[in-house]
PDB file of all heavy atoms in Angstrom:
ATOM      1  N   PHE X   1     -14.957   8.036  -6.147  1.00 98.00           N
ATOM      2  CA  PHE X   1     -15.080   8.441  -7.470  1.00 98.00           C
ATOM      3  C   PHE X   1     -16.245   7.821  -8.190  1.00 98.00           C
ATOM      4  O   PHE X   1     -16.897   8.343  -8.956  1.00 98.00           O
ATOM      5  CB  PHE X   1     -13.732   8.155  -8.225  1.00 98.00           C
ATOM      6  CG  PHE X   1     -12.809   9.312  -8.138  1.00 98.00           C
ATOM      7  CD1 PHE X   1     -12.059   9.487  -6.994  1.00 98.00           C
ATOM      8  CD2 PHE X   1     -12.575  10.074  -9.241  1.00 98.00           C
ATOM      9  CE1 PHE X   1     -11.158  10.571  -6.939  1.00 98.00           C
ATOM     10  CE2 PHE X   1     -11.689  11.153  -9.209  1.00 98.00           C
ATOM     11  CZ  PHE X   1     -10.964  11.433  -7.976  1.00 98.00           C
ATOM     12  N   ARG X   2     -16.553   6.545  -7.826  1.00 98.00           N
ATOM     13  CA  ARG X   2     -17.677   5.847  -8.402  1.00 98.00           C
ATOM     14  C   ARG X   2     -18.987   6.510  -8.026  1.00 98.00           C
ATOM     15  O   ARG X   2     -19.871   6.736  -8.773  1.00 98.00           O
ATOM     16  CB  ARG X   2     -17.671   4.321  -7.995  1.00 98.00           C
ATOM     17  CG  ARG X   2     -16.642   3.540  -8.707  1.00 98.00           C
ATOM     18  CD  ARG X   2     -16.539   2.177  -8.114  1.00 98.00           C
ATOM     19  NE  ARG X   2     -15.525   1.361  -8.849  1.00 98.00           N
ATOM     20  CZ  ARG X   2     -15.171   0.146  -8.414  1.00 98.00           C
ATOM     21  NH1 ARG X   2     -15.685  -0.438  -7.392  1.00 98.00           N
ATOM     22  NH2 ARG X   2     -14.186  -0.487  -9.122  1.00 98.00           N
ATOM     23  N   VAL X   3     -19.121   6.917  -6.758  1.00 98.00           N
ATOM     24  CA  VAL X   3     -20.303   7.586  -6.217  1.00 98.00           C
ATOM     25  C   VAL X   3     -20.426   8.942  -6.928  1.00 98.00           C
ATOM     26  O   VAL X   3     -21.551   9.417  -7.269  1.00 98.00           O
ATOM     27  CB  VAL X   3     -20.250   7.702  -4.710  1.00 98.00           C
ATOM     28  CG1 VAL X   3     -21.452   8.677  -4.289  1.00 98.00           C
ATOM     29  CG2 VAL X   3     -20.462   6.398  -4.058  1.00 98.00           C
ATOM     30  N   ALA X   4     -19.254   9.604  -7.159  1.00 97.00           N
ATOM     31  CA  ALA X   4     -19.359  10.936  -7.877  1.00 97.00           C
ATOM     32  C   ALA X   4     -19.615  10.800  -9.322  1.00 97.00           C
ATOM     33  O   ALA X   4     -19.764  11.774 -10.073  1.00 97.00           O
ATOM     34  CB  ALA X   4     -18.011  11.578  -7.633  1.00 97.00           C
ATOM     35  N   GLY X   5     -19.692   9.580  -9.870  1.00 97.00           N
ATOM     36  CA  GLY X   5     -19.952   9.368 -11.298  1.00 97.00           C
ATOM     37  C   GLY X   5     -18.791   9.547 -12.225  1.00 97.00           C
ATOM     38  O   GLY X   5     -18.876   9.889 -13.369  1.00 97.00           O
ATOM     39  N   PHE X   6     -17.582   9.366 -11.633  1.00 98.00           N
ATOM     40  CA  PHE X   6     -16.376   9.501 -12.375  1.00 98.00           C
ATOM     41  C   PHE X   6     -15.671   8.168 -12.545  1.00 98.00           C
ATOM     42  O   PHE X   6     -15.098   7.651 -11.537  1.00 98.00           O
ATOM     43  CB  PHE X   6     -15.448  10.530 -11.692  1.00 98.00           C
ATOM     44  CG  PHE X   6     -14.300  11.130 -12.536  1.00 98.00           C
ATOM     45  CD1 PHE X   6     -13.661  12.203 -12.095  1.00 98.00           C
ATOM     46  CD2 PHE X   6     -13.861  10.490 -13.782  1.00 98.00           C
ATOM     47  CE1 PHE X   6     -12.476  12.668 -12.830  1.00 98.00           C
ATOM     48  CE2 PHE X   6     -12.853  10.950 -14.432  1.00 98.00           C
ATOM     49  CZ  PHE X   6     -12.156  12.099 -14.033  1.00 98.00           C
ATOM     50  N   ASP X   7     -15.815   7.538 -13.596  1.00 96.00           N
ATOM     51  CA  ASP X   7     -15.173   6.209 -13.830  1.00 96.00           C
ATOM     52  C   ASP X   7     -13.738   6.391 -14.115  1.00 96.00           C
ATOM     53  O   ASP X   7     -13.248   6.969 -15.180  1.00 96.00           O
ATOM     54  CB  ASP X   7     -15.965   5.567 -15.074  1.00 96.00           C
ATOM     55  CG  ASP X   7     -15.505   4.016 -15.132  1.00 96.00           C
ATOM     56  OD1 ASP X   7     -15.050   3.396 -14.108  1.00 96.00           O
ATOM     57  OD2 ASP X   7     -15.535   3.488 -16.239  1.00 96.00           O
ATOM     58  N   VAL X   8     -12.882   5.817 -13.265  1.00 98.00           N
ATOM     59  CA  VAL X   8     -11.412   5.971 -13.371  1.00 98.00           C
ATOM     60  C   VAL X   8     -10.729   4.601 -13.388  1.00 98.00           C
ATOM     61  O   VAL X   8     -11.286   3.579 -13.013  1.00 98.00           O
ATOM     62  CB  VAL X   8     -10.817   6.737 -12.189  1.00 98.00           C
ATOM     63  CG1 VAL X   8     -11.220   8.294 -12.273  1.00 98.00           C
ATOM     64  CG2 VAL X   8     -11.264   6.159 -10.839  1.00 98.00           C
ATOM     65  N   LEU X   9      -9.530   4.512 -13.975  1.00 98.00           N
ATOM     66  CA  LEU X   9      -8.770   3.398 -14.049  1.00 98.00           C
ATOM     67  C   LEU X   9      -7.663   3.515 -12.819  1.00 98.00           C
ATOM     68  O   LEU X   9      -6.795   4.386 -12.936  1.00 98.00           O
ATOM     69  CB  LEU X   9      -7.991   3.253 -15.284  1.00 98.00           C
ATOM     70  CG  LEU X   9      -7.142   1.984 -15.554  1.00 98.00           C
ATOM     71  CD1 LEU X   9      -7.907   0.663 -15.355  1.00 98.00           C
ATOM     72  CD2 LEU X   9      -6.417   1.984 -16.892  1.00 98.00           C
ATOM     73  N   PRO X  10      -7.822   2.750 -11.824  1.00 98.00           N
ATOM     74  CA  PRO X  10      -6.869   2.890 -10.627  1.00 98.00           C
ATOM     75  C   PRO X  10      -5.446   2.573 -11.024  1.00 98.00           C
ATOM     76  O   PRO X  10      -5.105   1.556 -11.587  1.00 98.00           O
ATOM     77  CB  PRO X  10      -7.431   1.939  -9.639  1.00 98.00           C
ATOM     78  CG  PRO X  10      -8.842   1.718 -10.036  1.00 98.00           C
ATOM     79  CD  PRO X  10      -8.760   1.748 -11.565  1.00 98.00           C
ATOM     80  N   TYR X  11      -4.569   3.539 -10.704  1.00 98.00           N
ATOM     81  CA  TYR X  11      -3.129   3.227 -10.930  1.00 98.00           C
ATOM     82  C   TYR X  11      -2.393   3.514  -9.595  1.00 98.00           C
ATOM     83  O   TYR X  11      -1.885   4.658  -9.360  1.00 98.00           O
ATOM     84  CB  TYR X  11      -2.546   4.182 -11.973  1.00 98.00           C
ATOM     85  CG  TYR X  11      -1.219   3.724 -12.599  1.00 98.00           C
ATOM     86  CD1 TYR X  11      -1.152   2.770 -13.571  1.00 98.00           C
ATOM     87  CD2 TYR X  11      -0.048   4.249 -12.111  1.00 98.00           C
ATOM     88  CE1 TYR X  11       0.062   2.371 -14.094  1.00 98.00           C
ATOM     89  CE2 TYR X  11       1.185   3.881 -12.522  1.00 98.00           C
ATOM     90  CZ  TYR X  11       1.240   2.900 -13.498  1.00 98.00           C
ATOM     91  OH  TYR X  11       2.496   2.501 -14.039  1.00 98.00           O
ATOM     92  N   PRO X  12      -2.370   2.483  -8.717  1.00 98.00           N
ATOM     93  CA  PRO X  12      -1.784   2.672  -7.399  1.00 98.00           C
ATOM     94  C   PRO X  12      -0.290   2.847  -7.381  1.00 98.00           C
ATOM     95  O   PRO X  12       0.420   2.447  -8.270  1.00 98.00           O
ATOM     96  CB  PRO X  12      -2.087   1.376  -6.686  1.00 98.00           C
ATOM     97  CG  PRO X  12      -2.313   0.330  -7.738  1.00 98.00           C
ATOM     98  CD  PRO X  12      -2.839   1.179  -8.933  1.00 98.00           C
ATOM     99  N   THR X  13       0.283   3.615  -6.350  1.00 98.00           N
ATOM    100  CA  THR X  13       1.687   3.773  -6.221  1.00 98.00           C
ATOM    101  C   THR X  13       1.939   4.000  -4.746  1.00 98.00           C
ATOM    102  O   THR X  13       0.994   3.699  -3.895  1.00 98.00           O
ATOM    103  CB  THR X  13       2.045   5.136  -6.973  1.00 98.00           C
ATOM    104  OG1 THR X  13       3.498   5.235  -6.951  1.00 98.00           O
ATOM    105  CG2 THR X  13       1.476   6.310  -6.436  1.00 98.00           C
ATOM    106  N   ASP X  14       3.107   4.351  -4.352  1.00 97.00           N
ATOM    107  CA  ASP X  14       3.410   4.550  -2.965  1.00 97.00           C
ATOM    108  C   ASP X  14       3.145   3.337  -2.036  1.00 97.00           C
ATOM    109  O   ASP X  14       2.491   3.459  -1.058  1.00 97.00           O
ATOM    110  CB  ASP X  14       2.683   5.824  -2.364  1.00 97.00           C
ATOM    111  CG  ASP X  14       2.992   6.193  -0.992  1.00 97.00           C
ATOM    112  OD1 ASP X  14       4.075   5.995  -0.548  1.00 97.00           O
ATOM    113  OD2 ASP X  14       2.021   6.549  -0.281  1.00 97.00           O
ATOM    114  N   TYR X  15       3.693   2.219  -2.402  1.00 98.00           N
ATOM    115  CA  TYR X  15       3.509   0.998  -1.694  1.00 98.00           C
ATOM    116  C   TYR X  15       4.357   1.073  -0.384  1.00 98.00           C
ATOM    117  O   TYR X  15       5.548   1.457  -0.499  1.00 98.00           O
ATOM    118  CB  TYR X  15       3.936  -0.248  -2.503  1.00 98.00           C
ATOM    119  CG  TYR X  15       2.942  -0.602  -3.600  1.00 98.00           C
ATOM    120  CD1 TYR X  15       3.125  -0.033  -4.866  1.00 98.00           C
ATOM    121  CD2 TYR X  15       1.883  -1.335  -3.350  1.00 98.00           C
ATOM    122  CE1 TYR X  15       2.218  -0.319  -5.972  1.00 98.00           C
ATOM    123  CE2 TYR X  15       0.893  -1.643  -4.346  1.00 98.00           C
ATOM    124  CZ  TYR X  15       1.128  -1.115  -5.620  1.00 98.00           C
ATOM    125  OH  TYR X  15       0.273  -1.413  -6.644  1.00 98.00           O
ATOM    126  N   GLN X  16       3.753   0.605   0.687  1.00 96.00           N
ATOM    127  CA  GLN X  16       4.473   0.672   1.976  1.00 96.00           C
ATOM    128  C   GLN X  16       4.763  -0.750   2.604  1.00 96.00           C
ATOM    129  O   GLN X  16       5.331  -0.837   3.628  1.00 96.00           O
ATOM    130  CB  GLN X  16       3.618   1.393   3.027  1.00 96.00           C
ATOM    131  CG  GLN X  16       3.250   2.824   2.569  1.00 96.00           C
ATOM    132  CD  GLN X  16       4.464   3.697   2.557  1.00 96.00           C
ATOM    133  OE1 GLN X  16       5.375   3.642   3.401  1.00 96.00           O
ATOM    134  NE2 GLN X  16       4.592   4.543   1.510  1.00 96.00           N
ATOM    135  N   THR X  17       4.313  -1.829   1.807  1.00 97.00           N
ATOM    136  CA  THR X  17       4.506  -3.097   2.350  1.00 97.00           C
ATOM    137  C   THR X  17       5.228  -3.924   1.220  1.00 97.00           C
ATOM    138  O   THR X  17       5.033  -3.775   0.043  1.00 97.00           O
ATOM    139  CB  THR X  17       3.191  -3.835   2.657  1.00 97.00           C
ATOM    140  OG1 THR X  17       2.368  -3.941   1.432  1.00 97.00           O
ATOM    141  CG2 THR X  17       2.392  -2.982   3.715  1.00 97.00           C
ATOM    142  N   PRO X  18       6.060  -4.931   1.657  1.00 96.00           N
ATOM    143  CA  PRO X  18       6.705  -5.815   0.712  1.00 96.00           C
ATOM    144  C   PRO X  18       5.758  -7.029   0.348  1.00 96.00           C
ATOM    145  O   PRO X  18       4.658  -7.030   0.906  1.00 96.00           O
ATOM    146  CB  PRO X  18       7.929  -6.366   1.556  1.00 96.00           C
ATOM    147  CG  PRO X  18       7.471  -6.340   2.939  1.00 96.00           C
ATOM    148  CD  PRO X  18       6.583  -5.117   3.108  1.00 96.00           C
ATOM    149  N   SER X  19       6.253  -7.811  -0.416  1.00 94.00           N
ATOM    150  CA  SER X  19       5.399  -9.006  -0.828  1.00 94.00           C
ATOM    151  C   SER X  19       6.179 -10.272  -0.413  1.00 94.00           C
ATOM    152  O   SER X  19       7.329 -10.197   0.076  1.00 94.00           O
ATOM    153  CB  SER X  19       5.243  -9.079  -2.341  1.00 94.00           C
ATOM    154  OG  SER X  19       6.432  -9.146  -3.043  1.00 94.00           O
ATOM    155  N   GLY X  20       5.522 -11.439  -0.516  1.00 94.00           N
ATOM    156  CA  GLY X  20       6.125 -12.671  -0.135  1.00 94.00           C
ATOM    157  C   GLY X  20       6.390 -12.806   1.373  1.00 94.00           C
ATOM    158  O   GLY X  20       5.705 -12.099   2.168  1.00 94.00           O
ATOM    159  N   THR X  21       7.331 -13.553   1.732  1.00 95.00           N
ATOM    160  CA  THR X  21       7.653 -13.781   3.175  1.00 95.00           C
ATOM    161  C   THR X  21       8.132 -12.532   3.832  1.00 95.00           C
ATOM    162  O   THR X  21       8.119 -12.532   5.086  1.00 95.00           O
ATOM    163  CB  THR X  21       8.680 -14.945   3.299  1.00 95.00           C
ATOM    164  OG1 THR X  21       9.940 -14.608   2.530  1.00 95.00           O
ATOM    165  CG2 THR X  21       8.217 -16.245   2.648  1.00 95.00           C
ATOM    166  N   SER X  22       8.598 -11.632   3.170  1.00 95.00           N
ATOM    167  CA  SER X  22       9.078 -10.363   3.790  1.00 95.00           C
ATOM    168  C   SER X  22       8.021  -9.685   4.513  1.00 95.00           C
ATOM    169  O   SER X  22       8.274  -8.847   5.368  1.00 95.00           O
ATOM    170  CB  SER X  22       9.788  -9.423   2.778  1.00 95.00           C
ATOM    171  OG  SER X  22      10.815  -9.987   2.187  1.00 95.00           O
ATOM    172  N   LEU X  23       6.772  -9.970   4.170  1.00 95.00           N
ATOM    173  CA  LEU X  23       5.628  -9.221   4.769  1.00 95.00           C
ATOM    174  C   LEU X  23       5.533  -9.655   6.294  1.00 95.00           C
ATOM    175  O   LEU X  23       4.969  -8.921   7.065  1.00 95.00           O
ATOM    176  CB  LEU X  23       4.353  -9.785   4.097  1.00 95.00           C
ATOM    177  CG  LEU X  23       2.988  -9.189   4.560  1.00 95.00           C
ATOM    178  CD1 LEU X  23       3.076  -7.603   4.196  1.00 95.00           C
ATOM    179  CD2 LEU X  23       1.858  -9.829   3.804  1.00 95.00           C
ATOM    180  N   TYR X  24       6.221 -10.781   6.646  1.00 95.00           N
ATOM    181  CA  TYR X  24       6.024 -11.217   8.052  1.00 95.00           C
ATOM    182  C   TYR X  24       7.290 -10.849   8.902  1.00 95.00           C
ATOM    183  O   TYR X  24       7.387 -11.221  10.053  1.00 95.00           O
ATOM    184  CB  TYR X  24       5.844 -12.782   8.079  1.00 95.00           C
ATOM    185  CG  TYR X  24       4.694 -13.268   7.422  1.00 95.00           C
ATOM    186  CD1 TYR X  24       4.746 -13.614   6.015  1.00 95.00           C
ATOM    187  CD2 TYR X  24       3.385 -13.176   7.927  1.00 95.00           C
ATOM    188  CE1 TYR X  24       3.619 -13.937   5.378  1.00 95.00           C
ATOM    189  CE2 TYR X  24       2.300 -13.601   7.337  1.00 95.00           C
ATOM    190  CZ  TYR X  24       2.372 -14.017   5.960  1.00 95.00           C
ATOM    191  OH  TYR X  24       1.301 -14.361   5.319  1.00 95.00           O
ATOM    192  N   ARG X  25       8.193 -10.076   8.300  1.00 94.00           N
ATOM    193  CA  ARG X  25       9.269  -9.526   9.039  1.00 94.00           C
ATOM    194  C   ARG X  25       9.092  -8.029   9.316  1.00 94.00           C
ATOM    195  O   ARG X  25       9.288  -7.181   8.359  1.00 94.00           O
ATOM    196  CB  ARG X  25      10.556  -9.812   8.287  1.00 94.00           C
ATOM    197  CG  ARG X  25      10.898 -11.242   8.084  1.00 94.00           C
ATOM    198  CD  ARG X  25      12.331 -11.417   7.714  1.00 94.00           C
ATOM    199  NE  ARG X  25      12.689 -10.895   6.409  1.00 94.00           N
ATOM    200  CZ  ARG X  25      12.607 -11.521   5.285  1.00 94.00           C
ATOM    201  NH1 ARG X  25      12.141 -12.822   5.215  1.00 94.00           N
ATOM    202  NH2 ARG X  25      12.936 -10.964   4.115  1.00 94.00           N
ATOM    203  N   PRO X  26       8.813  -7.680  10.594  1.00 94.00           N
ATOM    204  CA  PRO X  26       8.662  -6.234  10.873  1.00 94.00           C
ATOM    205  C   PRO X  26       9.924  -5.450  10.748  1.00 94.00           C
ATOM    206  O   PRO X  26      11.042  -5.973  10.753  1.00 94.00           O
ATOM    207  CB  PRO X  26       8.098  -6.299  12.304  1.00 94.00           C
ATOM    208  CG  PRO X  26       8.636  -7.613  12.917  1.00 94.00           C
ATOM    209  CD  PRO X  26       8.619  -8.515  11.780  1.00 94.00           C
ATOM    210  N   SER X  27       9.833  -4.181  10.657  1.00 92.00           N
ATOM    211  CA  SER X  27      10.992  -3.284  10.585  1.00 92.00           C
ATOM    212  C   SER X  27      11.717  -3.298  11.922  1.00 92.00           C
ATOM    213  O   SER X  27      11.079  -3.437  12.984  1.00 92.00           O
ATOM    214  CB  SER X  27      10.562  -1.934  10.314  1.00 92.00           C
ATOM    215  OG  SER X  27      11.613  -0.981  10.283  1.00 92.00           O
ATOM    216  N   ALA X  28      13.037  -3.120  11.818  1.00 90.00           N
ATOM    217  CA  ALA X  28      13.854  -2.961  13.096  1.00 90.00           C
ATOM    218  C   ALA X  28      13.540  -1.650  13.687  1.00 90.00           C
ATOM    219  O   ALA X  28      13.893  -1.414  14.915  1.00 90.00           O
ATOM    220  CB  ALA X  28      15.350  -3.152  12.836  1.00 90.00           C
ATOM    221  N   THR X  29      13.001  -0.717  12.955  1.00 91.00           N
ATOM    222  CA  THR X  29      12.644   0.614  13.523  1.00 91.00           C
ATOM    223  C   THR X  29      11.146   0.533  13.993  1.00 91.00           C
ATOM    224  O   THR X  29      10.242   0.527  13.101  1.00 91.00           O
ATOM    225  CB  THR X  29      12.722   1.736  12.375  1.00 91.00           C
ATOM    226  OG1 THR X  29      14.046   1.673  11.812  1.00 91.00           O
ATOM    227  CG2 THR X  29      12.496   3.051  12.886  1.00 91.00           C
ATOM    228  N   THR X  30      11.001   0.378  15.213  1.00 94.00           N
ATOM    229  CA  THR X  30       9.692   0.072  15.796  1.00 94.00           C
ATOM    230  C   THR X  30       8.660   1.224  15.472  1.00 94.00           C
ATOM    231  O   THR X  30       7.459   0.889  15.431  1.00 94.00           O
ATOM    232  CB  THR X  30       9.767  -0.049  17.359  1.00 94.00           C
ATOM    233  OG1 THR X  30      10.369   1.166  17.875  1.00 94.00           O
ATOM    234  CG2 THR X  30      10.677  -1.228  17.693  1.00 94.00           C
ATOM    235  N   VAL X  31       9.073   2.400  15.321  1.00 93.00           N
ATOM    236  CA  VAL X  31       8.124   3.400  14.978  1.00 93.00           C
ATOM    237  C   VAL X  31       7.456   3.245  13.674  1.00 93.00           C
ATOM    238  O   VAL X  31       6.294   3.587  13.431  1.00 93.00           O
ATOM    239  CB  VAL X  31       8.899   4.862  14.995  1.00 93.00           C
ATOM    240  CG1 VAL X  31       7.951   5.984  14.539  1.00 93.00           C
ATOM    241  CG2 VAL X  31       9.422   5.186  16.416  1.00 93.00           C
ATOM    242  N   ARG X  32       8.229   2.693  12.713  1.00 94.00           N
ATOM    243  CA  ARG X  32       7.597   2.448  11.410  1.00 94.00           C
ATOM    244  C   ARG X  32       6.565   1.357  11.522  1.00 94.00           C
ATOM    245  O   ARG X  32       5.534   1.409  10.642  1.00 94.00           O
ATOM    246  CB  ARG X  32       8.791   2.007  10.348  1.00 94.00           C
ATOM    247  CG  ARG X  32       9.635   3.144  10.122  1.00 94.00           C
ATOM    248  CD  ARG X  32      10.565   2.818   8.969  1.00 94.00           C
ATOM    249  NE  ARG X  32       9.852   2.700   7.693  1.00 94.00           N
ATOM    250  CZ  ARG X  32       9.606   3.688   6.967  1.00 94.00           C
ATOM    251  NH1 ARG X  32       9.934   4.958   7.282  1.00 94.00           N
ATOM    252  NH2 ARG X  32       8.989   3.592   5.812  1.00 94.00           N
ATOM    253  N   ASN X  33       6.736   0.391  12.424  1.00 95.00           N
ATOM    254  CA  ASN X  33       5.706  -0.709  12.556  1.00 95.00           C
ATOM    255  C   ASN X  33       4.416   0.016  13.144  1.00 95.00           C
ATOM    256  O   ASN X  33       3.281  -0.318  12.733  1.00 95.00           O
ATOM    257  CB  ASN X  33       6.245  -1.790  13.548  1.00 95.00           C
ATOM    258  CG  ASN X  33       7.440  -2.439  12.937  1.00 95.00           C
ATOM    259  OD1 ASN X  33       7.512  -2.672  11.718  1.00 95.00           O
ATOM    260  ND2 ASN X  33       8.353  -2.823  13.821  1.00 95.00           N
ATOM    261  N   LEU X  34       4.595   0.832  14.168  1.00 94.00           N
ATOM    262  CA  LEU X  34       3.525   1.596  14.695  1.00 94.00           C
ATOM    263  C   LEU X  34       2.770   2.437  13.661  1.00 94.00           C
ATOM    264  O   LEU X  34       1.587   2.545  13.585  1.00 94.00           O
ATOM    265  CB  LEU X  34       3.885   2.360  15.914  1.00 94.00           C
ATOM    266  CG  LEU X  34       2.885   3.360  16.553  1.00 94.00           C
ATOM    267  CD1 LEU X  34       1.744   2.592  17.068  1.00 94.00           C
ATOM    268  CD2 LEU X  34       3.579   4.188  17.645  1.00 94.00           C
TER     269      LEU X  34
END
């Protein structure tokens, strides 16, 4: 968007990772880790 000349305010969503120490605990569903 910056290269296109469109100045935007990023509003992220759809987070797929936790925060804190939970980040170091992989899912028990191995496909999700892959």
Side-chain angles (χ1 to χ4, degrees):
F1 272 76
R2 286 174 179 171
V3 169
F6 193 167
D7 189 24
V8 291
L9 178 62
Y11 196 84
T13 188
D14 180 35
Y15 289 91
Q16 301 295 317
T17 64
S19 62
T21 58
S22 295
L23 186 63
Y24 301 94
R25 294 198 297 270
S27 172
T29 306
T30 57
V31 173
R32 294 190 67 83
N33 299 323
L34 172 61

